[in-house]
């Protein structure tokens, strides 16, 4: 019997792109897939009500808790009322979603893109009985045909066109903003916190993460609190970790800015897209090419015009970022900082080039050496492409869900 899945989109262009690739993968596997767009809430709810009344929905797949609290009657959760599994894929650290996770449907299955995030949920949200690790997946753009502005054609088979390495005008691409500016709205009034000196905590924890970048933010916060004699139960500790989560964004931003600045000041041209770069005090360096903000589909196309895709993790310590897989699927050379998962997954290092944050000063030499050896870059890019195509597409993630959950 054909199974029916429901996907919910309409909040972020990046997630809409994920859903386009993921739903297509399930359709190719023989599933019936409906996509609900909540940009028009009234219309979306009417369609959703009709679908749940007329069809048997075998699961709803969504990202970052979208639609977790939908209801039609008496405030009762729709997914619980209908007994529909709610597959929720978190693309960010769970501490950004405390309220939705506290009130998640009882039918929830939560997937995290970092193993440390899985451990976080298992410790601090024990009512979530089904939590699993699902690494980021990538998408491949096909440049054979032009797409509409702000869009790209996704390739789900073989035969996509990618420009040759020597034809790519961008030496190094960083596609992503500086999260410290995005995190400004997350900073609480530290002066109103009376349990401890929040200013001292912020300074010491940030310093700890700068000097020990292998640590997670929650680990560093807990260690600091213990060091000043504050031993909280898990509920209270989770409250403070969540309240102070802006530190995570500042730590990730510190290394992201540092990596690009180091290259630029070494004479290497770096093209950046995303918010915040124009606010750096070194932004007028002629080697920094700032392209502003672009939509997710355009990023996939830009990667196809880049020799090197540079990545620094969003403080993922045991996961992978989609920027890595997308870069591989664009047949660019991916240069990234390490994580436990990456070291395990890419043991022979022939699919990408990695560096450790404590030795980031070696990055300019590493990148210069790559740019001086285009044949080696071509070999790395080809190996990365083949590996990502075989292991890290949304089709592979659909296979995992089919095998273990559907």
């Amino acid at each position: 019997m054909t199974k029916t899945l429901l996907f919910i989109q309409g909040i972020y262009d990046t997630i809409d792109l994920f859903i386009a690739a993921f739903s297509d993968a399930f359709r190719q596997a023989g599933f019936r897939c409906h996509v609900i767009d909540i940009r028009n809430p009234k219309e979306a709810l009417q369609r959703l009500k009709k679908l749940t009344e007329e069809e048997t929905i075998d699961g709803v797949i969504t990202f970052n808790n979208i639609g977790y609290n939908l209801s039609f009657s008496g405030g009762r959760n729709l997914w619980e009322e209908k007994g529909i599994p709610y597959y929720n894929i978190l693309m960010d650290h769970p501490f950004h979603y405390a309220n939705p996770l506290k009130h998640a449907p009882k039918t929830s299955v939560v997937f995290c893109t970092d193993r440390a995030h899985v451990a976080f949920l298992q410790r601090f949200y024990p009512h979530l009985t089904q939590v699993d690790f699902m690494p980021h997946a990538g998408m491949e753009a096909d440049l054979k045909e032009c797409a509409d502005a702000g869009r790209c054609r996704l390739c789900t088979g073989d035969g996509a066109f990618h420009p040759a390495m020597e034809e790519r005008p961008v030496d190094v691409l960083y596609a992503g903003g500086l999260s410290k500016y995005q995190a400004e709205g997350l900073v609480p009034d530290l002066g109103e916190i009376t349990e401890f000196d929040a200013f001292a905590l912020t300074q010491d924890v940030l310093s700890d993460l700068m000097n020990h970048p292998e640590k997670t933010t929650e680990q560093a916060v807990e260690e600091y609190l213990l060091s000043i004699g504050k031993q909280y139960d898990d509920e209270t500790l989770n409250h403070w970790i969540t309240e102070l989560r802006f530190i995570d964004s500042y730590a990730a931003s510190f290394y992201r800015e540092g990596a690009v600045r180091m290259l630029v000041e070494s004479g290497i041209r770096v093209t950046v897209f995303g918010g915040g770069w124009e606010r750096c005090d070194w932004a007028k360096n002629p080697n920094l090419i700032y392209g502003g903000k672009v939509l997710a589909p355009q990023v996939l196309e830009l990667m196809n015009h880049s020799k090197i895709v540079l990545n620094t993790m969003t403080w993922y310590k045991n996961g992978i970022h989609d920027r890595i897989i997308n870069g591989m699927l664009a047949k660019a050379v991916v240069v990234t900082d390490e994580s436990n998962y990456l070291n395990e997954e890419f043991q022979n290092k022939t699919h990408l080039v990695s560096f450790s944050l404590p030795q980031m000063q070696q990055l300019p030499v590493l990148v210069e050496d790559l740019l001086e050896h285009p044949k080696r870059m071509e070999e790395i890019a080809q190996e990365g492409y083949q590996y990502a195509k075989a292991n890290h597409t949304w089709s592979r993630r659909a296979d995992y869900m089919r095998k273990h959950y559907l």
Side-chain angles (χ1 to χ4, degrees), residues 90-97 116-117 120 216 218 241 248 316:
L90 300 183
M91 308 308 284
D92 307 292
H93 196 295
F95 55 39
H96 291 297
Y97 307 110
H117 299 172
F120 185 90
T216 64
E218 56 267 27
I241 290 171
D248 191 85
Y316 276 35

Side-chain angles (χ1 to χ4, degrees), residues 109-160:
V109 180
V110 183
F111 296 95
C112 297
T113 49
D114 187 303
R115 288 169 176 156
H117 299 172
V118 173
F120 185 90
L121 284 183
Q122 289 172 336
R123 177 180 178 183
F124 295 111
Y125 295 88
H127 66 283
L128 296 171
T129 56
Q130 295 191 81
V131 181
D132 198 358
F133 171 60
M134 183 188 287
H136 268 286
M139 291 166 288
E140 181 180 6
D142 187 353
L143 270 60
K144 275 189 297 197
E145 299 179 51
C146 294
D148 297 334
R151 299 178 64 84
C152 71
R153 297 188 185 279
L154 293 179
C155 174
T156 55
D158 297 318

Side-chain angles (χ1 to χ4, degrees), residues 41-96:
K42 185 177 178 180
E43 184 180 303
L45 282 173
Q46 288 174 345
R47 183 168 177 233
L48 184 57
K49 194 171 192 300
K50 189 171 187 291
L51 283 172
T52 56
E53 288 173 350
E54 295 180 356
E55 295 191 45
T56 298
I57 306 297
D58 296 287
V60 55
I61 297 178
T62 188
F63 292 80
N64 293 352
N65 313 284
I66 297 174
Y68 79 97
N69 59 350
L70 289 177
S71 64
F72 291 142
S73 57
R76 188 177 177 190
N77 186 281
L78 168 64
W79 317 118
E80 294 178 4
E81 182 181 359
K82 300 287 186 180
I84 298 173
Y86 178 81
Y87 299 107
N88 183 17
I89 304 168
L90 300 183
M91 308 308 284
D92 307 292
H93 196 295
F95 55 39
H96 291 297

